[in-house]
Amino acid sequence: MLVKSEGIVLKEIRFKDTSKILTIFSKDFGKIHAMAKGAYRPKSQLTGCTQVFGYSDFTFFKGRNFYHINQGDIINSFYDLRENMERLMYGSYILELVEYSIVEEEPNEKLFLLLIKGLNVLSKLEKNFLKFVIAFELKYISFLGYRPYLDKCVVCGRNNYNRVKFSYRQGGIICEKCFETDPYCKKIDRNVIMYLKQLLYSPLDQLESIKIPKDVMSNLHEIMVKYILINIEKDNFNSLKLIETITKNGGI
Ligand SMILES: [Zn+2]
């Protein structure tokens, strides 16, 4: 049976000599695995549409256990992501985040459109990569159903607290009266909460006016990554480990 859907290639694995097995986030079928037979052959028509980051209009033959790519018309190859080291690294992180967290064969158009929007913005970005990434993480985890509660204490609903912490387990800020509900909660400044809210509610291509000090930025990113990992039940992201290594060695 032939089926059609737009999709973004999240991952590719070489299969035998000339084929690839792709992980695709498709608009209509969610995350699927698809065989691209002969994609490595020099004159294959599938070469372009089977590259990681590629966004194409696919036609699949759906077998009993597997999707086979029949044809793919490229909508956007996001080639500019490969032109810049930071774009490529954070782009790879975004794909890994999506690949880890979405369920197979469960469509989610909101997440799909967010991913396209994110890759579009990232492919033109020249600076402030981390600010963009944190804003993406906040929106992404919210669309996945775990929007952090940032207005009031997530446990008791109070908003006139003196001291406040962030609870990864409860999914938001908690006031001093509720600290004991989560022994692992993290001390957090009020301005950090303000930045999180600004990044959550501002469109990805309109982040210029949000000014965040560098040390606060890495703190925000740390909070978000931990919050995401807890909610998607993973230990770490390989792409972030790579970014850390390269950054430490002065690579970027
Ligand atoms: Zn409380």
Side-chain angles (χ1 to χ4, degrees):
M1 182 176 64
L2 284 179
V3 292
K4 280 175 86 84
S5 175
E6 290 178 12
I8 295 176
V9 178
L10 302 177
K11 198 174 157 184
E12 60 168 64
I13 297 171
R14 196 169 188 133
F15 180 71
K16 295 193 172 158
D17 276 348
T18 57
S19 300
K20 288 180 183 182
I21 296 174
L22 305 176
T23 306
I24 295 176
F25 184 15
S26 67
K27 192 176 177 184
D28 297 324
F29 315 115
K31 181 168 77 173
I32 56 170
H33 300 286
M35 171 75 77
K37 216 162 176 236
Y40 278 110
R41 288 209 182 98
K43 283 182 183 167
S44 170
Q45 299 207 329
L46 299 181
T47 308
C49 70
T50 58
Q51 308 288 326
V52 170
F53 291 119
Y55 168 33
S56 302
D57 209 349
F58 289 106
T59 306
F60 304 100
F61 172 77
K62 192 174 186 298
R64 194 174 290 172
N65 305 312
F66 228 76
Y67 288 84
H68 297 263
I69 299 175
N70 246 26
Q71 199 189 327
D73 299 318
I74 299 170
I75 300 168
N76 190 340
S77 62
F78 292 113
Y79 183 76
D80 290 344
L81 288 174
R82 298 166 196 276
E83 294 278 89
N84 169 307
M85 187 73 172
E86 282 165 299
R87 286 181 198 157
L88 180 61
M89 289 194 310
Y90 287 113
S92 304
Y93 163 57
I94 284 176
L95 294 193
E96 190 183 10
L97 167 59
V98 173
E99 203 236 325
Y100 268 11
S101 56
I102 52 174
V103 182
E104 293 204 12
E105 306 223 18
E106 210 174 85
N108 187 327
E109 195 172 333
K110 232 174 154 185
L111 282 184
F112 183 80
L113 295 175
L114 178 68
L115 176 59
I116 292 170
K117 172 87 180 175
L119 294 178
N120 258 316
V121 174
L122 181 60
S123 66
K124 294 179 194 83
L125 210 60
E126 301 287 348
K127 55 183 182 177
N128 297 324
F129 288 92
L130 212 45
K131 184 166 67 176
F132 160 81
V133 168
I134 300 163
F136 183 88
E137 289 168 333
L138 275 159
K139 292 172 206 310
Y140 186 82
I141 200 71
S142 299
F143 286 176
L144 211 55
Y146 305 104
R147 182 159 64 88
Y149 211 75
L150 300 169
D151 292 319
K152 298 169 184 172
C153 170
V154 64
V155 178
C156 72
R158 230 154 56 98
N159 61 2
N160 57 341
Y161 43 78
N162 291 316
R163 289 181 304 136
V164 64
K165 290 187 178 183
F166 186 82
S167 167
Y168 298 104
R169 303 268 163 205
Q170 305 275 15
I173 54 169
I174 53 176
C175 74
E176 66 264 26
K177 277 191 181 166
C178 304
F179 284 172
E180 61 188 26
T181 61
D182 178 3
Y184 303 106
C185 53
K186 185 183 167 64
K187 200 166 167 279
I188 193 172
D189 284 341
R190 276 168 198 264
N191 64 346
V192 167
I193 301 170
M194 180 191 76
Y195 291 134
L196 285 173
K197 277 198 214 173
Q198 287 179 342
L199 292 173
L200 174 59
Y201 295 115
S202 304
L204 284 174
D205 51 3
Q206 289 169 37
L207 303 174
E208 294 84 10
S209 58
I210 306 171
K211 306 280 181 222
I212 304 175
K214 216 177 162 190
D215 56 323
V216 178
M217 195 85 87
S218 30
N219 188 239
L220 287 174
H221 189 226
E222 224 171 89
I223 292 171
M224 281 318 299
V225 171
K226 192 167 174 188
Y227 181 60
I228 289 171
L229 286 171
I230 284 174
N231 281 304
I232 67 171
E233 299 178 349
K234 295 279 178 196
D235 294 330
N236 54 55
F237 292 107
N238 291 327
S239 49
L240 284 184
K241 277 200 263 174
L242 181 69
I243 293 174
E244 207 178 297
T245 312
I246 295 174
T247 312
K248 262 188 200 157
N249 292 318
I252 55 172

